[in-house]
Amino acid sequence: MPEQKIIIDTDPGQDDAVAILLALASPDEIEVLGITAVAGNVPLTLTERNARMVCELAGRTDIRVFAGCDRPLGRALVTAEHVHGKSGLYGPTLPEPTMPLQEQHGVDFIVDTLRREPAGSVTLCPLGPLTNIATAMQQAPDIIPRIRQIVLMGGAYFQVGNITPAAEFNIHVDPQAAAIVFGAGAPLVVMPLDVTHKALVTAARNDAFRALGTPVGIAVAQMTEFFERFDKEKYGSEGAPLHDPCVTAWLIRPELFSGRRVNVEIETESELTMGMTVADWWGVTKRAPNALFMGDIDADGFFALLTERLARL
Ligand code: RIB
Ligand code: CA
């Protein structure tokens, strides 16, 4: 019986794709109840297409993929083609998806699933802007106490911003949604840039993906080779930071990560710092902790897990 029943909310995105593949390669630990796409790295019509392409790459056409919100709650959509390419999934050449997109709206799927499944049994794994999650909470506040936990990629403290000097992309795209989710009271585990910037796909790690010799291994090597350019140019880093797979890896081996329960508030007023995650890492306020905010990762252990699991697909 899998340990975790999850909904992946995502804006693929090469790193989202690797996070989805890791989840689908781990059926003993994770049951994916469905995948809801959100506008983020690229528009919704592409994120839902990319999510279906990744499921087909994994041979999992049984997975239900839903389209959610096509724009943030209160701001114009900001996308990241400069990082992920125009399609959002540059790198490998993958066939157009043939598996169907579900008719139901992704937000309604999230609400219905949380109402149907036993309370406290479903984990939400947002890998993009939090628009779908916040909309579900606003539409159906009764689902909030039924959420087991929310394990998300987003925000930063020591690493500050990657899309502005102050803000990480997922939170910056929809800060109003982030404020709703971080203020909802559901158990929150946050994978910020502070930890994902330590999960770099070095040449050796990329070679290990390619050496799997499988369509999945080769495609992942091509994805991470493509999307490393942005971070290499900006940070001079040794390779692509695998942001989103930190979420699914935590579900499988939480001991690979370490962090601190702190208060995290979201900037939603100032354009200068819009979407900044103000993490009270040093406890200088009396604000109650609302998140387990990760700060460190066993990167070698993470890549060993990831490579071993991808080899299964
Ligand atoms: O800032 C990194 C995050 O923004 C990742 O989730 C990436 O996929 C993009 O959505
Ligand atoms: Ca993402």
Side-chain angles (χ1 to χ4, degrees):
M1 182 73 170
E3 172 47 29
Q4 305 264 359
K5 289 192 288 187
I6 75 171
I7 294 173
I8 298 175
D9 189 72
T10 180
D11 65 334
Q14 291 87 349
D15 59 318
D16 302 69
V18 181
I20 293 167
L21 291 169
L22 177 55
L24 297 179
S26 307
D28 293 341
E29 295 92 348
I30 297 173
E31 178 186 358
V32 178
L33 299 176
I35 295 177
T36 50
V38 67
N41 284 320
V42 287
L44 179 66
T45 50
L46 286 171
T47 57
E48 65 85 354
R49 164 194 175 266
N50 294 343
R52 290 187 286 144
M53 285 167 74
V54 173
C55 289
E56 292 191 347
L57 174 65
R60 292 297 305 276
T61 54
D62 59 301
I63 296 290
R64 292 182 297 162
V65 176
F66 302 79
C69 298
D70 65 359
R71 73 200 65 187
L73 290 186
R75 298 172 62 80
L77 177 63
V78 171
T79 51
E81 288 87 350
H82 61 292
V83 178
H84 299 275
K86 192 158 174 35
S87 74
L89 214 50
Y90 274 16
T93 304
L94 298 174
E96 282 303 310
T98 55
M99 65 186 279
L101 175 70
Q102 299 298 309
E103 288 294 312
Q104 187 180 32
H105 191 287
V107 170
D108 295 333
F109 170 73
I110 292 168
V111 172
D112 290 354
T113 302
L114 283 165
R115 284 177 171 164
R116 182 189 66 246
E117 295 292 330
S121 67
V122 176
T123 292
L124 302 180
C125 297
L127 309 177
L130 292 164
T131 316
N132 286 344
I133 310 299
T135 304
M137 290 179 167
Q138 286 184 312
Q139 185 177 299
D142 60 287
I143 65 170
I144 296 173
R146 302 182 64 85
I147 299 168
R148 176 175 177 178
Q149 62 190 342
I150 299 174
V151 187
L152 68 87
M153 190 279 142
Y157 179 64
F158 294 100
Q159 287 291 304
V160 209
N162 63 353
I163 191 76
T164 73
E168 177 278 328
F169 179 80
N170 288 341
I171 309 300
H172 178 73
V173 168
D174 199 339
Q176 281 72 21
I180 289 167
V181 173
F182 277 72
L188 205 48
V189 178
V190 179
M191 292 289 166
L193 297 179
D194 303 5
V195 76
T196 68
H197 278 177
K198 296 174 182 174
L200 299 178
V201 185
T202 60
R205 289 164 175 166
N206 193 275
D207 290 346
F209 293 150
R210 193 181 300 280
L212 294 176
T214 58
V216 166
I218 292 165
V220 166
Q222 292 170 329
M223 285 182 202
T224 53
E225 247 164 19
F226 175 83
F227 104 106
E228 73 179 11
R229 301 155 14 272
F230 173 77
D231 290 83
K232 271 189 159 177
E233 280 159 30
K234 175 170 182 163
Y235 296 100
S237 54
E238 277 180 73
L242 274 189
H243 306 289
D244 296 335
C246 288
V247 168
T248 37
W250 186 83
L251 296 175
I252 300 164
R253 290 195 53 202
E255 70 276 10
L256 291 173
F257 300 86
S258 62
R260 193 178 284 190
R261 272 196 61 74
V262 296
N263 176 270
V264 181
E265 302 294 336
I266 311 295
E267 175 62 71
T268 57
E269 301 297 328
S270 154
E271 281 302 331
L272 179 64
T273 54
M274 183 60 71
M276 184 174 192
T277 46
V278 183
D280 186 7
W281 186 260
W282 304 110
V284 297
T285 74
K286 294 283 174 279
R287 295 195 291 256
N290 58 344
L292 175 57
F293 199 80
M294 293 301 171
D296 212 351
I297 181 175
D298 166 1
D300 287 335
F302 170 73
F303 279 96
L305 170 70
L306 182 52
T307 307
E308 179 265 319
R309 294 295 163 103
L310 292 177
R312 299 180 178 187
L313 294 175

